[in-house]
Amino acid sequence: MKICIDPGHGGADSGASNARLVEKDMTLVTARALALFLRAHGHQTLLTHTGTLASTVKLDVSARALLANNWGAGLLISCHYNAGGGDRAEVIRSAYKDTAQADKLAASILDKLKALGQSSGKIVTRKNSAGNADYFGIIRLSNCPALIIEPCFFRPYAGLRACRYGGKAKGRRRGRRPRHSGLA
């Protein structure tokens, strides 16, 4: 399958940040790892950008979706990390397109994240204010099923620790190495 992977943000758009972490850097690392994993399992992958964008360039959502569409992707995955507060993973899918297939894939991703230590997760849909289209452009503009995957929250701090250490922050032993984010 041809899978287009979008490292969320990039260039002039840093996304969420914490004292030590910047979302655009984390999504790029996650997207690269996911691409390697998927290629090792026989899939073709394409990243919407590779981290070489100048800090003044902003790659808009329509360009990202167009890249996936023109390449003929069978699936588009946009990697993000949530900063809205909370402690769960979220997989955002279309409210209108390929809902059965997207639900099955989203549930599988959440199961893998939980197996890696994420305490909870939710499949989310969001419609625009008129209620007649998907809110998120990357989902709305793609011709193929598209998911936005947020494996954890940057904030509160406990959520960040859970993100870095693969599960609940409580009881983390000193010196424990961070686990992988769960996407790949």
Side-chain angles (χ1 to χ4, degrees), residues 77-157:
I77 296 173
S78 187
C79 303
H80 286 268
Y81 288 84
N82 208 327
D87 64 355
R88 69 171 186 252
E90 291 182 346
V91 179
I92 303 164
R93 66 150 178 88
S94 174
Y96 301 98
K97 300 183 287 187
D98 305 305
T99 57
Q101 181 184 6
D103 261 346
K104 184 177 178 181
L105 181 56
S108 176
I109 291 166
L110 288 175
D111 287 345
K112 298 293 183 194
L113 289 169
K114 287 178 185 175
L116 288 170
Q118 178 54 276
S119 59
S120 65
K122 184 176 181 181
I123 299 172
V124 177
T125 61
R126 185 170 175 193
K127 298 176 183 179
N128 66 2
S129 59
N132 61 2
D134 286 300
Y135 175 81
F136 294 101
I138 197 87
I139 293 173
R140 184 178 63 251
L141 298 171
S142 69
N143 293 338
C144 62
L147 300 173
I148 298 171
I149 302 172
E150 297 181 324
C152 62
F153 281 78
F154 269 169
R155 296 182 184 101
Y157 185 69

Side-chain angles (χ1 to χ4, degrees), residues 3 19 38 40 48 60 62 64 77 84 88 90 92 99 130 135 167-168 176 179:
I3 302 173
L38 291 170
T48 59
D60 84 4
S62 60
R64 296 168 193 248
I77 296 173
R88 69 171 186 252
E90 291 182 346
I92 303 164
T99 57
Y135 175 81
K168 295 179 182 177
R176 184 172 168 198
R179 285 192 191 175

Side-chain angles (χ1 to χ4, degrees), residues 10-70:
D13 181 5
S14 62
S17 64
N18 176 284
R20 297 177 309 260
L21 301 172
V22 177
E23 185 176 11
K24 73 176 183 179
D25 298 333
M26 291 183 63
T27 62
L28 186 59
V29 169
T30 301
R32 286 177 175 165
L34 178 58
L36 287 173
F37 176 84
L38 291 170
R39 283 195 297 269
H41 286 84
H43 300 283
Q44 292 178 291
T45 63
L46 174 72
L47 270 63
T48 59
H49 69 90
T50 58
T52 57
L53 296 173
S55 61
T56 57
V57 173
K58 185 171 182 187
L59 182 61
D60 84 4
V61 172
S62 60
R64 296 168 193 248
L66 184 62
L67 182 66
N69 293 343
N70 288 343

